Amino acid sequence: MLKIYFSGEDVLRTRVAPAADPVWELVLSLHLLRGRSRDPMMAAWRRTVAGGLRRESASEQLRLLLALNPPQGYFPDFLTPYASLGGFEAGLDAVRSTPAELLRRDLAVLAGENPLPPSASALARGEPEALRALTDSMERYRSVAISPYWGRIQAAVEADRARRARAVLDGGVEGLLASLRPNMRWDSGVLEVRDYPDSRELHLDGRGLLLVPSFFCARTPVALLDPALPPVLAYPVDRLGGLLPSGGEAGPVPGEALAALIGRTRAAVLEASDDGCTTGEVARRLNISPAAASQHTAVLRNAGLLVSQRDRNKVLHTLTPLGRAVLDA
């Protein structure tokens, strides 16, 4: 179990990442791609990505990246820098700028559990060419495994952020931390991460905690090993039915669903869902019955414009990127 200890100052400084983190998603997707999970929602993604890597003959180029991310256990902290909050390029710049002593330390820990290819030696020395080759392979992998699905990944993370925002409004930051069940339990200033592979304690010491909602995070949340780094905890979100390529999100919407979208009421439902809205709130705002609100949100969801997440006895509806584009138009 991982136990994270909060002071009052830590509670005030805890926040949720502003969007899906592209570097965390990349790294965690590598674990999911090669892991033993039989999640049927991800089976098509695994097959497509594996085929794409073979077709591009990229497997050899990605050998080091794959070695750095074994299916289970430790992976280097330097691969998920705090700077990735600023986007993918900012994250890659931070990886390329990793000090050699940190590279040596992280790779030594990894080599204690997993064999590494010869190219890891140049990386451990901090050779600029080796660092560039690593980030080039991260870009190549991203183009196959992440970018085609980015819209759906963003939608799932935004749906989770809307849920956490409501938890803050209802109960403050402690309400946010309590909302992370069942993977975690908040009690008297301690956040317990259940089923964590190691027994660890993390004292935040006034730095607060950055919570990173992640599509590709497996069932167990992930923290960095080095306690001196800015505290980060990546945790899984509802995958909302799996993955479809972003470019195809508008395509699968059938003509019947598009026809059903025409009308003022459903446009009003879209607008009400801009910042997240439960079925009951939709009914009250539009002065319609809960059954009618449920029917309208179902049509919008089937058309790919809304995502719906159940939290106990409530269902929270938020816009997908396609839904936001329709609303903005």
Side-chain angles (χ1 to χ4, degrees):
M1 179 183 291
L2 171 64
K3 293 186 177 182
I4 304 176
Y5 290 85
F6 290 71
S7 66
E9 187 176 2
D10 291 314
V11 171
L12 293 176
R13 292 187 174 183
T14 292
R15 61 191 179 119
V16 179
D21 187 306
V23 178
W24 269 102
E25 295 295 354
L26 184 154
V27 169
L28 293 175
S29 76
L30 281 161
H31 303 169
L32 196 62
L33 178 68
R34 305 173 66 211
R36 298 176 181 177
S37 170
R38 297 181 179 179
D39 186 344
M41 288 195 297
M42 304 305 295
W45 172 82
R46 286 177 191 245
R47 290 193 299 270
T48 302
V49 172
L53 295 179
R54 285 194 297 269
R55 284 195 300 273
E56 294 193 12
S57 302
S59 296
E60 186 62 31
Q61 299 173 26
L62 294 175
R63 185 181 175 196
L64 177 58
L65 180 61
L66 294 172
L68 295 178
N69 291 278
Q72 295 180 322
Y74 172 78
F75 64 93
D77 288 344
F78 76 84
L79 286 177
T80 51
Y82 198 82
S84 64
L85 272 174
F88 188 64
E89 292 303 324
L92 293 192
D93 286 344
V95 171
R96 285 189 287 265
S97 302
T98 305
E101 58 268 23
L102 297 185
L103 293 168
R104 285 194 298 271
R105 182 201 63 187
D106 285 4
L107 292 176
V109 173
L110 182 63
E113 302 176 359
N114 301 274
L116 296 179
S119 54
S121 298
L123 184 63
R125 294 191 295 269
E127 295 183 8
E129 185 175 348
L131 284 162
R132 282 195 299 272
L134 174 62
T135 54
D136 286 349
S137 68
M138 292 172 73
E139 289 187 286
R140 174 68 66 87
Y141 175 80
R142 182 194 187 209
S143 69
V144 175
I146 305 296
S147 295
Y149 309 94
W150 190 240
R152 181 60 66 92
I153 293 167
Q154 286 180 304
V157 169
E158 279 303 312
D160 186 85
R161 277 175 46 81
R163 178 182 175 188
R164 305 309 165 192
R166 295 175 69 85
V168 172
L169 290 173
D170 291 342
V173 177
E174 290 193 288
L176 162 66
L177 294 169
S179 77
L180 296 171
R181 60 186 185 280
N183 306 82
M184 295 173 266
R185 185 171 75 93
W186 169 254
D187 183 37
S188 303
V190 180
L191 184 65
E192 296 179 348
V193 180
R194 300 173 176 179
D195 298 326
Y196 203 76
D198 301 313
S199 180
R200 288 179 52 198
E201 292 186 352
L202 174 59
H203 294 265
L204 299 180
D205 298 327
R207 296 172 295 173
L209 180 67
L210 175 66
L211 294 163
V212 179
S214 171
F215 186 95
F216 284 106
C217 186
R219 187 171 61 89
T220 303
V222 179
L224 301 176
L225 181 64
D226 186 354
L229 292 172
V232 174
L233 185 70
Y235 67 90
V237 303
D238 187 333
R239 293 187 181 132
L240 305 177
L243 284 175
L244 290 172
S246 297
E249 285 189 0
V253 178
E256 294 84 0
L258 285 174
L261 289 175
I262 299 173
R264 293 181 180 179
T265 301
R266 287 184 185 134
V269 172
L270 275 184
E271 187 173 1
S273 303
D274 192 14
D275 294 319
C277 200
T278 67
T279 305
E281 289 168 342
V282 168
R284 288 192 294 273
R285 291 184 189 184
L286 276 59
N287 195 27
I288 58 178
S289 69
S294 180
Q295 180 184 17
H296 288 308
T297 55
V299 171
L300 293 166
R301 182 172 58 252
N302 292 337
L305 304 183
L306 287 183
V307 293
S308 302
Q309 237 178 355
R310 179 170 291 279
D311 184 12
R312 290 182 289 183
N313 63 337
K314 295 181 179 179
V315 178
L316 179 66
H317 310 285
T318 54
L319 297 179
T320 66
L322 177 60
R324 184 168 298 280
V326 169
L327 181 62
D328 291 343

